[in-house]
Amino acid sequence: MDDTPPGTVAIIGAGPAGLTAAYLLAQKQVPVVVLEADPVYVGGISRTAVYKGFHFDIGGHRFFSKSKQVEDFWTEMLPDDMLERPRLSRIYYRGTFFAYPLKAFDALFKLGVFESLLCILSYAKAKLLPVPHPGNVEDWVSNQFGKRLFRIFFKTYTEKVWGMSCKDISADWAAQRIKGLSLVSAIKNALLPQRPQQRGDVIKTLVDTFRYPRRGPGMMWEECARKVRELGGAVQMGHQVTGCRLDGDTGLWTLTHVDAEGGEHTTVARHVISSAPLRQLAQGLTPPLPERALQAAAALKYRDFLTVMLILKDRHLFADNWIYIHDPSVKVGRVQNFKSWSPEMVPDPALCCYGLEYFCFEGDGLWTATDEELLDLGRRELAQIGLAQAADVLDGCVVRQRKAYPVYDDRYAEHVATLRADLDKLPGLHVVGRNGMHKYNNQDHAMMTAMLTVENILAGKQLYDVWAVNEDAEYHESGTAGEQSGASGVRLVPSRVKTR
């Protein structure tokens, strides 16, 4: 058994949630052990991979939050390394590039007057005869934009991401990802852009600048891990957690984990903070959860993801940070231009680095294709879209990411509620982050759930209900969490909006 004090907090996963919690706890001299399965990278899906000196994200990660606490945390980690970057993104559809967010005249001219008129009529119909109580993505987005714009600008891309019909995807996903955006708000922003009076008034989808670490998001989390170690905490890389056992008499948890060489270890802790996939955590608990909870865990689904990173001669063919590929004739879903995120991501100014993103399920044809097959696919599709010449591609690599996205099918909320009811009964167990809570939200949301969890641990009672953190990393006081606390040194300001 590893020599860990019984007051230790064990943290599963060194992503934004896990490392945020570790740092705040270590600042308060609480013993922390972070167990990360990846042998090399911290940051989870917010890590930065490196290939021959080229840096690239696993998906692009904007650093913008409505939460001042989160923004202050980022500044504390990298006070001199955060760039202010312009946001430029477009949609590729039927051989044409459309500005995104929507610019009214750009869309009008590129769709054509007749198609634009049909879109306006479709929107008017949606406003006059909306689908009551929309439960799926198709109905929800159609209510916001009209059926015709839904088919042009949402349907193909969304079904690429999820590998399922928009009618089978919960409306929760659309409500989170494009919250506050409608056709009217998009056109108003395009014609009369206004600076919001308060940060909380910003519609995230319409943000035109963002901060970004000069060498990618992994830089943030590598620095956070360094600070955790400096404060006396442990960040153990290449340690895969295989089980979590609760001793009913002592209230202590024993985590079993295996290192990269196959060595077996145990860590004893008073608290466990898990950002591991909720299904995986639930199935690894001892004593086991009730059968209904195990069935709910088994029903949770995940979408996997791979990045085909290509190094090319820079012909300056596009300056976008990223482009959404809505065209069904290619498999790629999104193309990142990492030089536009930060010039320091690319070591040679004569070259550029693109990330072609493919959404898949582990074990399907894309996932099991060889790296050479995927590099060839990326080269061909990049040329087909018109973003490069195939001959300009010099090198590349492939990165596969399991469980990148928790799936919002029509019963996911029911399954999560069932699991939560039983997990909440286990003393000292806390779930945080995207996969830990099966919530498809961004890193600022993950960080806020960690901040509130730290407050609860330091107080020795539940001051906050972490499930009441919304997609904008705002805490919505539900009336059940009790008094406010500033124990971690992070000032938390709850929203006055009540949870539903």
Short mmCIF file of all heavy atoms in Angstrom, two decimals, residues 102-105 183-197 203 206 208:
data_model
loop_
_atom_site.label_atom_id
_atom_site.label_comp_id
_atom_site.label_asym_id
_atom_site.label_seq_id
_atom_site.Cartn_x
_atom_site.Cartn_y
_atom_site.Cartn_z
N LEU A 102 -23.18 34.44 -38.12
CA LEU A 102 -23.84 34.92 -39.31
C LEU A 102 -23.61 36.40 -39.55
O LEU A 102 -23.74 37.22 -38.65
CB LEU A 102 -25.34 34.65 -39.18
CG LEU A 102 -26.24 35.17 -40.29
CD1 LEU A 102 -26.00 34.37 -41.56
CD2 LEU A 102 -27.70 35.07 -39.87
N LYS A 103 -23.25 36.74 -40.78
CA LYS A 103 -23.24 38.12 -41.24
C LYS A 103 -24.32 38.21 -42.31
O LYS A 103 -24.27 37.52 -43.33
CB LYS A 103 -21.87 38.51 -41.78
CG LYS A 103 -20.82 38.66 -40.68
CD LYS A 103 -19.49 39.09 -41.26
CE LYS A 103 -18.51 39.47 -40.15
NZ LYS A 103 -18.31 38.43 -39.15
N ALA A 104 -25.30 39.06 -42.06
CA ALA A 104 -26.53 39.03 -42.85
C ALA A 104 -26.29 39.13 -44.34
O ALA A 104 -26.81 38.33 -45.13
CB ALA A 104 -27.46 40.17 -42.38
N PHE A 105 -25.50 40.11 -44.79
CA PHE A 105 -25.34 40.31 -46.23
C PHE A 105 -24.47 39.23 -46.85
O PHE A 105 -24.66 38.84 -48.00
CB PHE A 105 -24.77 41.71 -46.49
CG PHE A 105 -25.72 42.80 -46.09
CD1 PHE A 105 -25.43 43.62 -45.02
CD2 PHE A 105 -26.93 42.98 -46.77
CE1 PHE A 105 -26.32 44.62 -44.63
CE2 PHE A 105 -27.81 43.98 -46.39
CZ PHE A 105 -27.51 44.80 -45.32
N LEU A 183 -31.89 33.62 -34.86
CA LEU A 183 -31.68 34.34 -36.12
C LEU A 183 -31.70 35.84 -35.89
O LEU A 183 -30.86 36.58 -36.41
CB LEU A 183 -32.75 33.94 -37.13
CG LEU A 183 -32.61 34.57 -38.54
CD1 LEU A 183 -31.29 34.17 -39.16
CD2 LEU A 183 -33.77 34.16 -39.42
N VAL A 184 -32.63 36.31 -35.07
CA VAL A 184 -32.73 37.75 -34.81
C VAL A 184 -31.49 38.27 -34.10
O VAL A 184 -30.91 39.29 -34.48
CB VAL A 184 -34.00 38.07 -33.99
CG1 VAL A 184 -33.97 39.51 -33.51
CG2 VAL A 184 -35.25 37.81 -34.82
N SER A 185 -31.02 37.56 -33.06
CA SER A 185 -29.84 38.04 -32.32
C SER A 185 -28.60 37.99 -33.19
O SER A 185 -27.74 38.87 -33.10
CB SER A 185 -29.63 37.20 -31.05
OG SER A 185 -29.35 35.85 -31.36
N ALA A 186 -28.49 36.98 -34.06
CA ALA A 186 -27.33 36.90 -34.94
C ALA A 186 -27.31 38.05 -35.94
O ALA A 186 -26.27 38.66 -36.19
CB ALA A 186 -27.33 35.55 -35.67
N ILE A 187 -28.46 38.36 -36.53
CA ILE A 187 -28.54 39.45 -37.51
C ILE A 187 -28.31 40.79 -36.82
O ILE A 187 -27.59 41.65 -37.33
CB ILE A 187 -29.89 39.41 -38.25
CG1 ILE A 187 -29.96 38.17 -39.14
CG2 ILE A 187 -30.07 40.68 -39.07
CD1 ILE A 187 -31.30 37.96 -39.82
N LYS A 188 -28.88 40.97 -35.62
CA LYS A 188 -28.67 42.22 -34.88
C LYS A 188 -27.19 42.42 -34.59
O LYS A 188 -26.66 43.52 -34.72
CB LYS A 188 -29.47 42.20 -33.57
CG LYS A 188 -30.95 42.49 -33.75
CD LYS A 188 -31.70 42.37 -32.43
CE LYS A 188 -31.20 43.38 -31.41
NZ LYS A 188 -31.97 43.27 -30.14
N ASN A 189 -26.52 41.34 -34.21
CA ASN A 189 -25.09 41.46 -33.91
C ASN A 189 -24.29 41.78 -35.17
O ASN A 189 -23.31 42.52 -35.13
CB ASN A 189 -24.57 40.16 -33.29
CG ASN A 189 -23.11 40.25 -32.90
OD1 ASN A 189 -22.77 40.85 -31.89
ND2 ASN A 189 -22.24 39.65 -33.71
N ALA A 190 -24.72 41.20 -36.31
CA ALA A 190 -24.01 41.45 -37.56
C ALA A 190 -24.19 42.90 -38.03
O ALA A 190 -23.26 43.54 -38.52
CB ALA A 190 -24.49 40.48 -38.65
N LEU A 191 -25.40 43.43 -37.88
CA LEU A 191 -25.71 44.77 -38.37
C LEU A 191 -25.34 45.86 -37.37
O LEU A 191 -24.82 46.91 -37.75
CB LEU A 191 -27.20 44.87 -38.70
CG LEU A 191 -27.70 43.99 -39.85
CD1 LEU A 191 -29.20 44.12 -39.98
CD2 LEU A 191 -27.01 44.38 -41.16
N LEU A 192 -25.59 45.60 -36.08
CA LEU A 192 -25.38 46.60 -35.05
C LEU A 192 -24.65 45.98 -33.87
O LEU A 192 -25.22 45.78 -32.80
CB LEU A 192 -26.71 47.19 -34.58
CG LEU A 192 -27.54 47.92 -35.63
CD1 LEU A 192 -28.96 48.18 -35.10
CD2 LEU A 192 -26.87 49.24 -36.02
N PRO A 193 -23.36 45.61 -34.04
CA PRO A 193 -22.64 44.99 -32.93
C PRO A 193 -22.58 45.93 -31.74
O PRO A 193 -22.30 47.11 -31.88
CB PRO A 193 -21.25 44.73 -33.52
CG PRO A 193 -21.14 45.62 -34.71
CD PRO A 193 -22.52 45.81 -35.22
N GLN A 194 -22.89 45.38 -30.57
CA GLN A 194 -22.91 46.19 -29.36
C GLN A 194 -22.02 45.54 -28.31
O GLN A 194 -21.93 44.31 -28.22
CB GLN A 194 -24.34 46.30 -28.81
CG GLN A 194 -25.29 47.02 -29.76
CD GLN A 194 -26.68 47.12 -29.19
OE1 GLN A 194 -27.00 46.54 -28.15
NE2 GLN A 194 -27.54 47.87 -29.86
N ARG A 195 -21.35 46.38 -27.53
CA ARG A 195 -20.53 45.87 -26.44
C ARG A 195 -21.42 45.67 -25.22
O ARG A 195 -22.05 46.61 -24.73
CB ARG A 195 -19.41 46.86 -26.10
CG ARG A 195 -18.46 46.33 -25.02
CD ARG A 195 -17.24 47.23 -24.90
NE ARG A 195 -16.46 47.25 -26.12
CZ ARG A 195 -15.54 46.33 -26.41
NH1 ARG A 195 -15.32 45.34 -25.57
NH2 ARG A 195 -14.86 46.41 -27.53
N PRO A 196 -21.51 44.43 -24.69
CA PRO A 196 -22.38 44.18 -23.55
C PRO A 196 -21.97 45.02 -22.34
O PRO A 196 -20.80 45.33 -22.14
CB PRO A 196 -22.16 42.67 -23.28
CG PRO A 196 -21.61 42.13 -24.56
CD PRO A 196 -20.82 43.22 -25.16
N GLN A 197 -22.97 45.41 -21.54
CA GLN A 197 -22.70 46.19 -20.34
C GLN A 197 -21.97 45.37 -19.29
O GLN A 197 -21.14 45.87 -18.56
CB GLN A 197 -24.03 46.70 -19.75
CG GLN A 197 -24.78 47.67 -20.67
CD GLN A 197 -23.97 48.91 -20.96
OE1 GLN A 197 -23.47 49.57 -20.05
NE2 GLN A 197 -23.83 49.23 -22.24
N ILE A 203 -23.17 36.71 -25.39
CA ILE A 203 -23.53 35.43 -25.99
C ILE A 203 -22.23 34.79 -26.47
O ILE A 203 -21.57 35.31 -27.37
CB ILE A 203 -24.51 35.62 -27.16
CG1 ILE A 203 -25.81 36.26 -26.67
CG2 ILE A 203 -24.81 34.29 -27.84
CD1 ILE A 203 -26.78 36.63 -27.79
N LEU A 206 -21.07 34.49 -30.06
CA LEU A 206 -20.80 35.70 -30.83
C LEU A 206 -19.51 36.40 -30.43
O LEU A 206 -19.18 37.45 -30.98
CB LEU A 206 -21.97 36.68 -30.69
CG LEU A 206 -23.34 36.17 -31.17
CD1 LEU A 206 -24.40 37.22 -30.92
CD2 LEU A 206 -23.30 35.78 -32.63
N ASP A 208 -15.94 37.77 -30.40
CA ASP A 208 -15.05 37.94 -31.55
C ASP A 208 -13.57 38.00 -31.18
O ASP A 208 -12.72 38.10 -32.06
CB ASP A 208 -15.44 39.18 -32.36
CG ASP A 208 -15.44 40.46 -31.52
OD1 ASP A 208 -15.00 40.41 -30.35
OD2 ASP A 208 -15.88 41.50 -32.04
#
